[in-house]
Amino acid sequence: MIRALIIDDEADARVSLQLLLQKFCPEVQILELCPDPLRGLEAIAAYDPDLIFLDVQMPRMSGFDLLEKIPAPRFQTIFVTAHDHYAIKAIRFSALDYLLKPVEVDELVSAVSRAREQQTQQTTMPYPEVIHNVKNRLGKEGKLAVPTAEGMAFIELKHLLYCEADGSYTQLVIRDKKPMLVSKKLKEIEQILDPAHFCRVHHSSLINLDHVERYVKGEGGYVIMSDGQQVNISRRKKEEFMRLIDRL
């Protein structure tokens, strides 16, 4: 048996993955469903699992942050993520496996099979290097995967103009399309995107620097985006914005 943990802040995702494993991967024994990274760390210490299914994007601590707290892990990791295939290549190239939400049965069976092979070979993963490479790659290319009522939507980053906070939701403004309201906080979106191209210019605004048409001076000032809309820059964020603009 492969003794495993599922660490994911989404209850539906945890239960759905557990059911799939029970039906299609009976060799996997689920030790616990962990609702957050902190409980995940406690469960890893308590159970010493062979395998963990680890969500990438979670509040307060990402999956990568969790792994960084374990200097010499003795388990295999399968990432569970809503990121698209382009950005996720970094994980595959680094010999770690992944499942793209919503999880496909054939991908799950294949990932568990590879984890079992690595367990048999007692392969050691170069986690510090993997984490560094993946963090630098996620969100830099390809698409942004966001949850919708029907499933997932994949937005090309080059078409994402800016994001506006709306309580626990975020409105995405996309070129030549209607704005999209998604059930992710702006901070979560910010953590995914490449900070060299996407800048938080206000507590409620995150912009794609490639779509800035004009900057107008002021206490903080404001920018005119490629769709003609004005986005204010807070006084606190002005210095960071100017530094990033100078690099483009």
Side-chain angles (χ1 to χ4, degrees), residues 18-214:
Q18 180 186 35
L19 293 174
L20 288 175
L21 287 166
Q22 289 174 343
K23 184 173 182 179
F24 298 102
C25 303
E27 70 273 29
V28 177
Q29 176 191 2
I30 302 301
L31 303 170
E32 185 177 328
L33 306 182
C34 304
D36 57 67
L38 291 178
R39 178 54 203 161
L41 287 171
E42 293 173 352
I44 289 170
Y47 292 107
D48 190 20
D50 304 312
L51 173 67
I52 65 171
F53 294 88
L54 182 61
D55 189 13
V56 171
Q57 195 66 39
M58 293 179 285
R60 294 181 294 278
M61 185 189 301
S62 71
F64 304 120
D65 294 332
L66 180 148
L67 291 178
E68 285 180 327
K69 295 182 178 297
I70 306 173
R74 297 193 295 177
F75 51 81
Q76 304 294 337
T77 299
I78 295 177
F79 283 109
V80 184
T81 176
H83 292 291
D84 69 284
H85 290 289
Y86 296 100
I88 214 69
K89 285 180 181 178
I91 296 176
R92 173 167 281 178
F93 292 158
S94 301
L96 290 176
D97 230 316
Y98 74 94
L99 297 171
L100 187 68
K101 295 180 180 179
V103 174
E104 296 288 341
V105 171
D106 58 341
E107 293 181 355
L108 173 61
V109 172
S110 179
V112 169
S113 177
R114 281 192 288 271
R116 185 172 59 244
E117 291 174 4
Q118 291 178 349
Q119 181 185 30
T120 302
Q121 298 168 6
Q122 296 184 336
T123 309
T124 301
M125 297 296 171
Y127 277 105
E129 181 179 351
V130 168
I131 293 166
H132 174 75
N133 291 339
V134 174
K135 271 189 168 180
N136 287 339
R137 287 282 299 278
L138 283 173
K140 286 189 176 180
E141 57 182 339
K143 302 175 183 179
L144 172 68
V146 293
T148 66
E150 297 78 22
M152 301 294 297
F154 297 91
I155 301 167
E156 291 194 49
L157 293 179
K158 63 182 179 181
H159 294 160
L160 180 59
L161 277 63
Y162 53 94
C163 310
E164 295 285 347
D166 187 356
S168 296
Y169 295 82
T170 299
Q171 180 169 264
L172 308 180
V173 179
I174 308 160
R175 189 174 68 187
D176 300 328
K177 292 186 178 181
K178 291 182 179 180
M180 178 183 296
L181 190 66
V182 299
S183 57
K184 280 186 177 293
K185 292 183 179 180
L186 184 61
K187 184 177 181 180
E188 295 178 74
I189 300 291
E190 180 185 12
Q191 290 174 342
I192 296 171
L193 299 174
D194 178 9
H197 292 274
F198 289 86
C199 178
R200 184 79 170 265
V201 295
H202 194 275
H203 74 273
S204 61
S205 302
L206 174 69
I207 64 172
N208 185 341
L209 297 173
D210 295 331
H211 282 279
V212 173
E213 294 287 334
R214 189 155 53 98

